[in-house]
Amino acid sequence: MDGNIENNKQWYVIHTYSGYENKVKANLEKRVDSMNMGDKIFRILVPMEDEVEIKDGKKKIIKRKVFPGYVLVEMIMTDDSWYVVRNTSGVTGFVGSGTKPIPLHESEVRLILKQMGVEEPRTKTMYRVGQNIRVISGPFENFVGIIEENHPEKGKLKVLVSMFGRETPVELEYTQIEDA
């Protein structure tokens, strides 16, 4: 750890003893509270999904851990925040190479949160018609386009993307774009 404060929060994966994911989440939330780390450690998630179980001819929906033995933590990585997480009861370590935790890619986090039904907070950035944007996920990834229509209530835009020398209208979600 080099002690540099990254200027943005990112999601990291911590490894836990199997079956202790919810206990680790509760323990870590208590530590964040008691050690005043709320400005560096934000959300702690145990990715779950609904699974239909049929028992005695009856359907029952149960929650199943998507990644048994793992917990996601949204945090700003500093020596202090690393120490708080790493030394929480039940945590065996961060996922990464050697001693350096590696954050999840933003698209991976969006996919996991979407699967869980946890919506990311609405994007604060208001896009406007005529603005240039870059597509960051989906089939048009890395294309640059111009916003033709904006539908903030749906979190969607119609964007003119230049393909093969032609302007092609494409419907995209706010989560699929960034300022160009």
Side-chain angles (χ1 to χ4, degrees), residues 20 31 63 85 100-102 109 124 153 166 179:
Y20 281 75
R31 283 174 59 89
K63 293 273 185 202
V85 173
K100 184 167 175 31
I102 297 176
V109 173
K124 283 185 203 145
E153 69 287 352
R166 300 183 98 117
D179 291 335

Side-chain angles (χ1 to χ4, degrees), residues 12-81:
Y12 293 87
V13 180
I14 55 176
H15 194 263
T16 68
Y17 293 119
S18 192
Y20 281 75
E21 301 87 355
N22 292 326
K23 192 167 269 188
V24 165
K25 180 183 188 303
N27 288 345
L28 186 50
E29 285 169 346
K30 281 185 199 142
R31 283 174 59 89
V32 167
D33 237 15
S34 69
M35 299 174 92
N36 295 319
M37 292 299 284
D39 60 336
K40 291 193 179 92
I41 302 171
F42 307 98
R43 291 187 283 173
I44 301 149
L45 294 177
V46 177
M48 307 284 271
E49 65 184 5
D50 290 341
E51 192 174 77
V52 176
E53 184 179 82
I54 299 174
K55 208 175 200 176
D56 302 327
K58 291 183 181 142
K59 268 188 187 178
K60 184 180 169 190
I61 294 176
I62 58 165
K63 293 273 185 202
R64 184 181 71 79
K65 291 182 184 96
V66 181
F67 307 113
Y70 296 95
V71 174
L72 303 183
V73 181
E74 183 184 37
M75 61 189 286
I76 296 170
M77 186 61 69
T78 64
D79 286 345
D80 292 343
S81 63

Side-chain angles (χ1 to χ4, degrees), residues 150-167:
N150 185 3
H151 304 282
E153 69 287 352
K154 296 179 187 167
K156 293 186 178 194
L157 304 153
K158 187 187 270 182
V159 176
L160 289 177
V161 175
S162 182
M163 288 181 3
F164 310 116
R166 300 183 98 117
E167 297 291 310

Side-chain angles (χ1 to χ4, degrees), residues 1-7 76-79:
M1 301 293 310
D2 58 6
N4 288 345
I5 293 179
E6 292 181 33
N7 55 4
I76 296 170
M77 186 61 69
T78 64
D79 286 345

Side-chain angles (χ1 to χ4, degrees), residues 84-98:
V84 169
V85 173
R86 181 64 190 86
N87 291 292
T88 297
S89 178
V91 173
T92 58
F94 276 92
V95 173
S97 60

